[in-house]
C-alpha cells in the first residue's frame, strides 16, 4: 500500500505542478478579455429583462384603446420574433423582475410567494442566466487512508475533475497490468515447481489459486485510490440551476449508499458510495425549491446550515444504512436559494430559515394581474408566439385567435382594465387550441379553435358545477320561475374559475327557549360570521319579537366542501326577511353580495363566474354589488340571457327580489328609515376587499 500511496502523491503533484498550469489556466487567461466583454454586454442588456424587451414585429402608429393586439400589424404569430434568452420571455411581474435583477447582481436569496402559475419557476431559471460569471468547480471525493469513514474532499476548476479521474484510472490500469504480469509469472513458477520437481499437481493448483486470490484482493486497494467525481461542471456553460422541489433528504442534502458487503474484501470504498445533493450541485448557481413548506423540519434546518456556512458535509440519511457511519469533509454549497410557495407556505416554514432568506435577501409577493395597456397586449401576443415556439408542434395562431386569447386573459383577471398573470393556465388554453387545430390538419390555429378549446379545457370544478346544474334540473331542485317565500337563489364559486347556483332557504318557528339564528349546510367560520351579521340587521329591522322565535337558515346541497366566505350575506338576509314578513321572492332572480351590519352591500369575488352560472341555470336577473360592476366580463353568449342589476343597499335588493307592490314598498321604506342610509342619492359604500366567494 505504501507504493500505491507514493504513486498517488506523485500523481497529485503532477496534477498541481507548474507544467500543467498553462494547460488548466491558460484558457481562462486567454479568454479573460472575452469574459470581460461578455460581462459588459450583460450589464448593458440586463435592464432589458422580460417586459422591457421590445416586440420585434410591425406596429401601427395609431393604436386605439380597443385594439386587442395593441397595434400589432400581423396576420399570425409567425411574424412575431421570440427572444432567445429565457429572461427576455418574462412578461409582467415588474416588482419581482426588479428584485431578481438586483439579487442576481448581488447574489442574494429570494423568497417568492404567490398563486400557482404566476411565473415563479420561470423567474428562478431566468436568474441563473443573470448571475455574474464565476469560476465553476468540480468536486472530488478521495479515500482517506487514516479513516475510511471520513473521505476527503477536494475542489478543482471545472473540467479538471475528469482529467484527474482519468489520470488515476490510467495509473490504476498500469499498476494492475504490472500486478497481473507478476502474478502470472509467480503462478507459472509455482506450477512448474509442483509438476516437475515436487510432482504434486493438486498442491500446485491449490497454491496457484491462493496466489491468484491474493493478487486480486490486493488489486482492490489500488482501485480504491481512484477518486469519485461527485460534481462535474465540465460541460456547464452557465450558472447551475437545480430544482429541488419535493426532494427527499438524500436528494437535497446528499447521501451515502448502503453497502451490503462490508467486509471480506468485497466492500465498496466509502468515498465511492458518496452521492451529492442538490445543494452541492447548485454551488455557484441557483437552488430552486417550490412549496418550501413541504420540506420536513430536519431538512429545513440542514438547508439553513448550508446557506449560513457555504459548505455542508455529506453523510448517510438512513440510520439503518452503513452510509450513516460515513461523514465527508465539508462540500461547497455556495448557492443562491430561491424559495417559492403559495400563501400557506409561510405557515409551515421554519422561522429561522425564513429569517436567513430575509436577512440575506428579498421577499416578493407575485402579482395576479397587470394593467391592461396596448404595450402589455403586444406582450401577450408575444406570449402566444413563445408558447407555439416552445412546444414545437402547434400550428401558428392567427391574429383573431390571439385576440381571443387576450380577451380570455381579461376575463380571467376578474378586474376591469387588467390582464391575468396566471400564464400557466393561459398557456394550457393555447396548447389545447393548437392541439385541436393540429388534429383537424389545419395550417393555422383560428379563433374557432380557441373557442372550442375554452369549452374543452374546463376545470374539474367547472365540470362538476355543470353536472350539478344538470342533475338539479332532473330532480327539479333548480327553481328559476315563480314566487316562493323564504327561498333565494344564491351564487357561489367552486375552485377559482367556476360558478354555481346555491339555493338558500329560511324558516321562522316559535322558540322553545331564547330565540336564536340556526344555520346549517357545512358553514365555515367566515360564513357563520356573515350569518351573525345578517341577524343584527334582521333584529334591528323587524317589528316582531325575535326572542320568542328561532330563525332557521339552510344552505341547500352544499356537499362536503361546505360554504366559506360571506358572499351569501344578502341571500341570507333576503330569505329571512321574506320568511318573517311572509312576502314571496321572485325565483328568476339570483344574487351575490356581502353585507355590513348597517345594510350596505359590499363587493365580493368571482362575480363573472357567478353570473354565468345563473345564466346556465335559467335565471333572468342577477343582483351584484355596485362596486363589482366594473369586474363583470361575461362571455358574449350570456350577455342577452340575464339582466345584471348592481345594488348598494339591502333595500335595493328587496325592491328587486320581493313580490307585491304595497307590502314590498312599505317594507323597503321602513328599512330605509331604520338604517338611515342615504340611498335616495344612489351612493354606494366605500371600497372594500372582495370576499373569496
Amino acid at each position: 500500500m505504501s507504493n500505491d500511496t507514493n504513486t498517488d502523491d506523485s500523481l497529485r503533484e503532477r496534477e498541481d505542478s507548474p507544467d500543467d498550469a498553462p494547460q488548466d489556466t491558460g484558457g481562462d487567461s486567454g479568454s479573460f478579455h472575452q469574459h470581460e466583454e461578455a460581462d459588459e454586454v450583460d450589464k448593458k442588456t440586463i435592464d432589458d429583462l422580460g417586459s422591457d424587451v421590445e416586440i420585434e414585429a410591425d406596429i401601427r402608429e395609431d393604436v386605439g384603446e380597443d385594439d386587442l393586439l395593441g397595434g400589432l400589424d400581423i396576420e399570425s404569430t409567425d411574424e412575431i420574433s421570440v427572444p432567445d434568452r429565457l429572461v427576455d420571455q418574462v412578461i409582467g411581474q415588474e416588482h419581482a423582475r426588479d428584485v431578481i435583477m438586483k439579487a442576481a447582481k448581488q447574489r442574494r436569496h429570494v423568497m417568492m410567494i404567490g398563486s400557482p402559475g404566476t411565473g415563479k419557476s420561470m423567474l428562478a431559471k431566468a436568474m441563473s442566466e443573470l448571475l455574474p460569471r464565476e469560476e465553476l468547480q468540480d468536486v472530488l471525493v478521495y479515500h482517506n487512508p487514516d479513516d475510511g469513514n471520513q473521505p476527503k474532499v477536494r475542489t478543482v476548476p471545472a473540467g479538471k475533475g475528469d482529467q484527474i479521474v482519468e489520470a488515476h484510472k490510467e495509473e490504476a490500469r498500469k499498476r494492475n497490468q504490472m500486478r497481473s504480469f507478476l502474478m502470472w509469472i509467480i503462478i507459472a513458477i509455482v506450477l512448474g515447481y509442483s509438476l516437475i520437481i515436487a510432482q504434486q499437481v493438486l498442491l500446485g493448483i491449490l497454491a496457484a489459486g491462493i496466489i491468484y486470490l491474493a493478487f486480486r484482493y490486493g488489486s482492490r486497494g489500488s482501485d480504491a485510490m481512484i477518486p469519485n467525481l461527485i460534481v462535474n461542471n465540465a460541460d456547464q456553460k452557465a450558472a447551475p440551476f437545480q430544482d429541488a422541489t419535493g426532494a427527499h433528504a438524500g436528494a437535497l442534502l446528499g447521501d451515502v449508499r448502503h453497502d451490503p458487503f462490508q467486509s471480506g474484501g468485497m466492500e465498496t470504498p466509502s468515498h465511492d458510495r458518496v452521492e451529492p445533493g442538490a445543494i452541492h450541485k447548485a454551488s455557484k448557481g441557483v437552488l430552486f425549491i417550490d412549496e418550501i413548506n413541504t420540506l420536513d423540519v430536519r431538512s429545513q434546518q440542514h438547508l439553513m446550515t448550508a446557506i449560513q456556512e457555504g459548505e455542508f458535509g455529506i453523510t448517510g440519511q438512513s440510520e439503518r444504512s452503513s452510509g450513516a457511519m460515513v461523514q465527508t469533509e465539508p462540500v461547497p454549497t455556495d448557492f443562491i436559494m430561491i424559495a417559492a410557495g403559495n400563501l400557506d407556505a409561510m405557515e409551515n416554514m421554519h422561522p429561522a430559515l425564513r429569517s436567513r432568506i430575509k436577512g440575506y435577501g428579498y421577499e416578493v409577493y407575485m402579482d395576479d394581474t397587470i394593467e391592461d395597456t396596448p404595450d402589455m397586449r403586444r406582450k401577450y401576443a408575444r406570449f402566444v408566439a413563445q408558447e407555439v415556439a416552445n412546444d414545437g408542434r402547434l400550428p401558428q395562431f392567427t391574429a383573431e385567435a390571439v385576440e381571443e386569447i387576450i380577451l380570455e386573459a381579461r376575463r380571467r383577471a376578474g378586474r376591469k382594465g387588467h390582464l391575468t398573470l396566471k400564464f400557466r393556465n393561459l398557456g394550457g388554453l393555447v396548447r389545447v387550441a393548437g392541439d385541436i387545430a393540429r388534429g383537424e390538419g389545419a395550417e393555422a390555429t383560428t379563433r374557432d379553435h380557441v373557442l372550442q378549446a375554452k369549452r374543452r379545457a374546463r376545470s374539474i370544478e367547472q365540470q362538476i358545477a355543470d353536472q350539478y346544474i344538470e342533475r338539479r334540473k332532473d330532480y327539479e331542485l333548480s327553481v328559476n320561475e315563480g314566487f316562493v317565500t323564504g327561498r333565494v337563489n344564491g351564487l357561489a364559486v367552486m375552485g377559482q374559475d367556476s360558478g354555481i347556483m346555491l339555493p338558500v332557504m329560511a324558516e321562522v318557528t316559535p322558540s322553545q327557549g331564547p330565540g336564536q339564528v340556526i344555520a346549517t349546510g357545512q358553514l365555515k367560520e367566515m360564513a357563520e360570521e356573515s350569518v351573525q351579521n345578517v341577524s343584527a340587521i334582521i333584529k334591528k329591522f323587524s317589528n316582531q319579537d325575535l326572542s320568542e322565535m328561532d330563525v332557521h337558515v339552510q344552505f341547500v346541497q352544499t356537499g362536503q366542501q361546505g360554504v366559506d366566505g360571506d358572499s351569501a350575506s344578502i341571500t341570507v338576509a333576503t330569505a329571512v326577511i321574506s320568511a318573517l314578513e311572509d312576502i314571496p321572492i321572485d325565483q328568476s332572480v339570483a344574487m351575490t353580495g356581502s353585507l355590513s351590519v348597517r345594510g350596505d352591500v359590499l363587493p365580493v369575488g368571482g362575480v363573472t363566474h357567478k353570473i354565468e352560472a345563473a345564466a346556465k341555470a335559467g335565471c333572468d336577473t342577477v343582483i351584484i354589488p355596485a362596486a363589482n360592476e366594473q369586474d363583470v366580463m361575461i362571455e358574449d353568449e350570456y350577455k342577452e340571457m340575464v339582466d345584471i342589476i348592481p345594488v348598494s343597499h339591502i333595500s335595493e335588493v328587496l325592491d328587486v327580489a320581493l313580490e307585491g307592490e304595497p307590502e314590498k314598498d312599505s317594507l323597503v321604506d321602513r328599512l330605509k328609515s331604520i338604517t338611515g342610509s342615504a340611498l335616495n342619492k344612489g351612493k354606494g359604500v366605500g371600497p372594500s376587499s372582495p370576499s373569496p366567494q
Side-chain angles (χ1 to χ4, degrees), residues 578-593:
S578 169
L580 278 172
E581 300 296 327
D582 196 25
I583 302 176
I585 298 170
D586 187 352
Q587 297 302 297
S588 67
V589 176
M591 62 183 70
T592 183

Side-chain angles (χ1 to χ4, degrees), residues 297 300-301 304 345-355:
V297 175
Q300 292 190 48
Q301 289 173 333
M304 181 174 55
M346 295 181 290
E347 297 178 5
N348 298 324
M349 188 176 179
H350 198 291
L353 177 59
R354 184 181 176 190
S355 176

Side-chain angles (χ1 to χ4, degrees), residues 479-489 578 582-589 620 654-661 664:
V479 182
N480 53 28
E481 58 183 13
F483 296 87
V484 180
T485 302
R487 185 189 186 281
V488 181
N489 287 321
S578 169
D582 196 25
I583 302 176
I585 298 170
D586 187 352
Q587 297 302 297
S588 67
V589 176
D620 299 329
L654 301 177
D655 193 26
V656 175
L658 298 183
E659 180 193 25
E661 292 300 326
K664 179 176 69 174

Side-chain angles (χ1 to χ4, degrees), residues 31 34 131 146 173 175 191 201 214 233 240 315 324 348 352 372 382 384 435 451 467 485 487 518 530 551 583 680 686:
S31 61
Q34 294 179 358
L131 282 176
D146 297 328
R173 187 181 65 80
R175 286 196 296 266
L191 287 176
V201 178
N233 285 315
T315 186
N348 298 324
D372 183 5
R382 191 188 71 192
V384 178
D435 289 345
L451 294 176
Q467 284 190 7
T485 302
R487 185 189 186 281
I518 304 169
S530 70
V551 178
I583 302 176
N680 294 330

